[in-house]
Amino acid sequence: MSERKYGEAAAAVGVILSLAFVAFEIRENTKATRGTTLQAIAELSFDFVLDLSNDEDWIRIETAMREPGTTREDLSLEDRRIQELKYVAGMRILENRLRQFQVGTVKAEELSQFSLGARGFYTTPSFREWWGSRDQSDFFASDFIEFFESEFLR
């Protein structure tokens, strides 16, 4: 074999090794990005729950809504607005999880696992009453509404 052929073979091996290295680096970067995303989602959820647990108005509103026969109409306009804003904030966390799943950062089992803890929050009679009280497309995209209703309100 001529020197030129050896040089071409060495160059081809070099290209293959470089591509393998790039693939390895991409895989490692993907793992790091997924880990960072999962951590951010967990922190966001924790902060939201902590905020709810420290919000005296929220606790008062949700406690009142658990009284038999109480509806949103029994709340003041201000309390209904507080409740709505908290619900929407929590829903945005779920929507973010769905979007992360759609772009491939979060796997299906992780999306489902995140949803387990939220089920109790979103299946309360007061939440269901709020959800049904308005056109949710004012707040959320149709694909999220469909996902939410199929996963949480079935």
Side-chain angles (χ1 to χ4, degrees), residues 24-152:
F24 173 78
E25 288 297 314
I26 289 172
R27 185 174 38 238
E28 291 302 304
N29 186 44
T30 300
K31 286 180 188 177
T33 299
R34 287 188 75 251
T36 300
T37 300
L38 294 173
Q39 181 64 34
I41 290 171
E43 287 175 6
L44 188 59
S45 297
F46 175 81
D47 290 345
F48 181 67
V49 170
L50 186 61
D51 176 56
L52 291 179
S53 69
N54 289 316
D55 186 328
E56 292 178 15
D57 286 331
W58 170 256
I59 292 169
R60 179 183 47 74
I61 292 164
E62 285 300 296
T63 300
M65 288 300 297
R66 291 174 193 257
E67 290 295 320
T70 304
T71 69
R72 290 188 81 238
E73 293 303 315
D74 296 320
L75 300 175
S76 70
L77 185 59
E78 179 183 11
D79 285 350
R80 284 195 303 265
R81 187 65 178 150
I82 290 169
Q83 183 190 49
E84 180 171 72
L85 292 173
K86 294 290 185 174
Y87 285 154
V88 170
M91 298 291 288
R92 291 286 178 228
I93 296 170
L94 286 177
E95 185 178 25
N96 177 270
R97 291 173 183 167
L98 175 64
R99 302 297 175 224
Q100 292 298 328
F101 168 73
Q102 289 172 332
V103 298
T105 309
V106 171
K107 295 178 182 176
E109 60 270 13
E110 293 162 339
L111 179 64
S112 177
Q113 188 176 38
F114 286 136
S115 299
L116 288 176
R119 284 201 200 313
F121 185 75
Y122 297 114
T123 57
T124 62
S126 60
F127 179 85
R128 287 176 180 262
E129 182 183 351
W130 170 76
W131 183 262
S133 71
R134 62 177 305 130
D135 178 4
Q136 294 301 334
S137 64
D138 291 343
F139 291 113
F140 306 105
S142 60
D143 67 327
F144 175 73
I145 292 170
E146 184 179 318
F147 162 77
F148 179 77
E149 290 179 345
S150 69
E151 289 293 314
F152 292 87

